[in-house]
């Protein structure tokens, strides 16, 4: 039995009956946030730490003192174990929906999100908020917020795809140049970076949030394009020479070009790699594809950003875990606002 099913049973058999007695108020209940079970990827190994039957309880219009009292009454009656699993009471979250979203994203979810807000949200955090399962939501508030966060707005989607093609364009010839001077290790490292960018691009093309590294490859397998792409990407990782990498990577690029053309967002692009200037290297010219995509962006601020800083969102800027989690810092709101300034025109004085 996977963790999400255990949590579902725990809520309906234990928590809901108790809440009816001790706190007859409106609330929402769900299992979301960090945890392999939220994504459905948990195994027995997942239960060796930071795991317990648990639930998120969002009390509507509750004051801090009311939440504290309700939590105290609930914990007094929760069992120490459920279905043979130890229950750690502290792992059940009780708060308001607004406070929880603020803690995860450092925003007031009742106010409209700016486009640049989306560039500060790690895709893993968005995945944690939109996956899992809602058990109870009387007024539909939790579902409404999950619908808002369900996926990037159209112009942000275009901007992130263009930024990823730009990254590919900046490094695809470097992989070949390194190999040309007999730096096979350097070439292989760059190739791995490009493989990761291709995989990220696939998530974007299929409008799916990409999870953090532990589940990145696992989630990639569930994409509709993975079966066709994975043999080429594995080959890029496995071969020993830069010429073999070039061949396998260009087969992957050929398929990516077909996927891009299938989106119908730009004029059709060539599905064949071509020479990089006069050098004996064939590349996809990712920067050219990026330029075509940015022309489809309608929002003036994001169009400006695409012309001045085609760098993507926080996931593309950095792979530092602590920095991506800035919204959870004590001063997370201030940190995120400073990052937003970086994306805005006002940063240039």
């Amino acid at each position: 039995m996977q963790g999400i099913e255990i949590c579902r049973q725990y809520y309906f058999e234990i928590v809901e009956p108790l809440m009816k007695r001790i706190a007859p108020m409106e609330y929402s209940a769900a299992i979301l946030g960090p945890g392999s079970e939220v994504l459905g990827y948990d195994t027995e190994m997942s239960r060796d730490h930071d795991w317990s039957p648990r639930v998120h309880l969002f009390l509507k219009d509750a004051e801090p003192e009311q939440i504290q009292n309700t939590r105290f009454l609930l914990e007094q009656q929760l069992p120490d174990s459920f279905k043979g699993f130890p229950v750690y009471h502290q792992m059940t979250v009780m708060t308001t929906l607004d406070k929880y979203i603020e803690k995860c994203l450092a925003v007031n979810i009742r106010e409209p999100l700016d486009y640049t807000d989306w560039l500060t949200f790690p895709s893993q955090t968005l995945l944690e908020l939109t996956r899992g399962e809602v058990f109870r939501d009387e007024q539909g508030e939790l579902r409404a917020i999950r619908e808002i966060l369900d996926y990037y707005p159209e112009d942000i989607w275009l901007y992130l795809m263009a930024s990823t093609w730009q990254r590919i364009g900046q490094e695809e010839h470097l992989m070949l140049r390194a190999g040309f001077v007999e730096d096979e290790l350097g070439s292989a490292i760059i190739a791995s970076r490009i493989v990761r960018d291709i995989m990220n691009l696939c998530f974007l093309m299929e409008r799916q949030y990409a999870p953090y590294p532990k589940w990145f490859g696992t989630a990639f397998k569930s994409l509709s394009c993975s079966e066709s792409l994975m043999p080429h990407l594995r080959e890029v990782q496995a071969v020993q020479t830069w010429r073999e990498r070039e061949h396998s990577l260009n087969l992957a690029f050929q398929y990516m070009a077909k996927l891009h053309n299938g989106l119908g967002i730009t004029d059709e692009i060539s599905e064949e790699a071509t020479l990089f200037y006069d050098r004996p290297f064939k590349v996809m010219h990712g920067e050219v594809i990026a330029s075509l995509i940015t022309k489809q962006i309608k929002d003036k601020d994001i169009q400006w950003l695409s012309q001045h800083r085609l760098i993507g969102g926080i996931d593309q800027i950095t792979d530092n875990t602590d920095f991506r989690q800035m919204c959870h810092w004590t001063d997370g709101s201030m940190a995120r606002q400073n990052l937003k300034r970086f994306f805005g025109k006002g940063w240039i004085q």
Side-chain angles (χ1 to χ4, degrees):
M1 189 187 301
Q2 287 193 291
I4 199 165
E5 175 60 26
I6 294 170
C7 292
R8 182 190 299 114
Q9 294 184 20
Y10 177 67
Y11 169 71
F12 284 110
E13 295 181 24
I14 303 295
V15 177
E16 186 179 61
L18 288 175
M19 288 293 289
K20 283 182 179 178
R21 293 206 305 268
I22 67 175
M25 64 179 71
E26 289 185 10
Y27 70 93
S28 299
I31 177 68
L32 36 83
S36 301
E37 70 272 29
V38 172
L39 304 183
Y41 298 142
D42 56 310
T43 65
E44 287 189 21
M45 183 179 289
S46 305
R47 300 170 189 167
D48 65 356
H49 72 289
D50 294 338
W51 190 91
S52 173
R54 63 190 178 96
V55 65
H56 288 67
L57 300 171
F58 303 114
L59 277 56
K60 184 175 175 59
D61 302 325
E63 297 296 329
E65 184 177 351
Q66 186 180 18
I67 293 173
Q68 184 177 355
N69 291 338
T70 303
R71 183 177 187 89
F72 175 78
L73 291 173
L74 181 65
E75 289 185 350
Q76 295 303 301
Q77 301 183 58
L78 288 175
D80 293 328
S81 65
F82 179 75
K83 305 284 185 181
F85 300 102
V87 174
Y88 302 111
H89 299 168
Q90 70 273 16
M91 292 198 67
T92 284
V93 173
M94 184 180 293
T95 183
T96 64
L97 193 50
D98 290 9
K99 287 291 185 183
Y100 185 74
I101 299 298
E102 183 180 7
K103 179 177 181 295
C104 294
L105 299 177
V107 297
N108 182 348
I109 198 63
R110 305 296 175 178
E111 297 177 356
L113 295 175
D114 294 337
Y115 277 134
T116 49
D117 283 321
W118 288 92
L119 299 177
T120 68
F121 301 154
S123 61
Q124 170 66 25
T125 303
L126 293 170
L127 199 59
E128 291 171 358
L129 291 170
T130 54
R131 292 281 289 273
E133 186 176 330
V134 176
F135 303 138
R136 176 192 180 101
D137 194 28
E138 293 169 286
Q139 301 301 316
E141 285 191 325
L142 178 55
R143 288 187 176 89
I145 288 174
R146 279 158 64 94
E147 287 177 6
I148 292 171
L149 300 174
D150 185 59
Y151 203 63
Y152 302 114
E154 184 80 3
D155 281 346
I156 294 299
W157 176 62
L158 293 170
Y159 174 76
L160 293 175
M161 282 197 296
S163 298
T164 308
W165 275 116
Q166 180 83 344
R167 283 170 59 95
I168 290 171
Q170 290 168 342
E171 296 203 350
E172 53 185 338
H173 63 284
L174 300 182
M175 179 198 77
L176 305 171
R177 185 71 175 96
F180 190 77
V181 296
E182 300 182 356
D183 177 13
E184 292 292 359
L185 178 59
S187 175
I189 290 171
I190 299 170
S192 294
R193 289 167 57 87
I194 295 172
V195 166
R196 183 174 65 173
D197 285 337
I198 289 174
M199 293 170 70
N200 270 317
L201 191 54
C202 288
F203 280 102
L204 288 165
M205 285 182 166
E206 297 195 17
R207 297 180 187 259
Q208 300 288 325
Y209 292 131
Y212 77 131
K214 179 167 66 170
W215 299 122
F216 186 67
T218 300
F220 180 76
K221 293 177 186 177
S222 68
L223 298 181
S224 60
C225 65
S226 66
E227 185 176 352
S228 298
L229 266 176
M230 284 185 70
H232 304 312
L233 299 183
R234 284 200 186 104
E235 193 74 12
V236 173
Q237 299 279 272
V239 296
Q240 300 298 309
T241 69
W242 68 275
R243 277 301 188 193
E244 292 173 301
R245 281 183 214 106
E246 177 187 42
H247 174 73
S248 298
L249 200 53
N250 283 334
L251 289 176
F253 283 144
Q254 186 178 62
Y255 187 79
M256 294 300 292
K258 289 180 181 178
L259 290 180
H260 173 84
N261 288 333
L263 294 174
I265 57 176
T266 69
D267 292 338
E268 286 205 354
I269 62 173
S270 172
E271 296 177 2
E272 298 297 327
T274 55
L275 288 175
F276 182 72
Y277 296 98
D278 293 330
R279 298 181 182 183
F281 314 144
K282 283 191 173 182
V283 296
M284 201 64 206
H285 301 280
E287 72 285 353
V288 175
I289 303 172
S291 178
L292 292 174
I293 295 174
T294 58
K295 292 176 182 177
Q296 311 307 313
I297 296 173
K298 296 181 176 61
D299 181 81
K300 291 183 180 179
D301 289 337
I302 301 303
Q303 181 61 249
W304 179 91
L305 183 61
S306 71
Q307 299 303 319
H308 292 80
R309 293 188 208 109
L310 193 55
I311 56 176
I314 190 169
D315 293 310
Q316 291 155 311
I317 295 173
T318 178
D319 57 7
N320 183 283
T321 299
D322 290 332
F323 188 77
R324 284 184 181 179
Q325 296 300 313
M326 64 166 58
C327 292
H328 297 274
W329 298 353
T330 303
D331 56 349
S333 180
M334 182 181 297
R336 200 184 61 78
Q337 289 300 323
N338 285 331
L339 181 60
K340 278 185 67 177
R341 288 181 62 232
F342 181 72
F343 290 115
K345 297 179 184 178
W347 187 75
I348 299 178
Q349 299 292 342

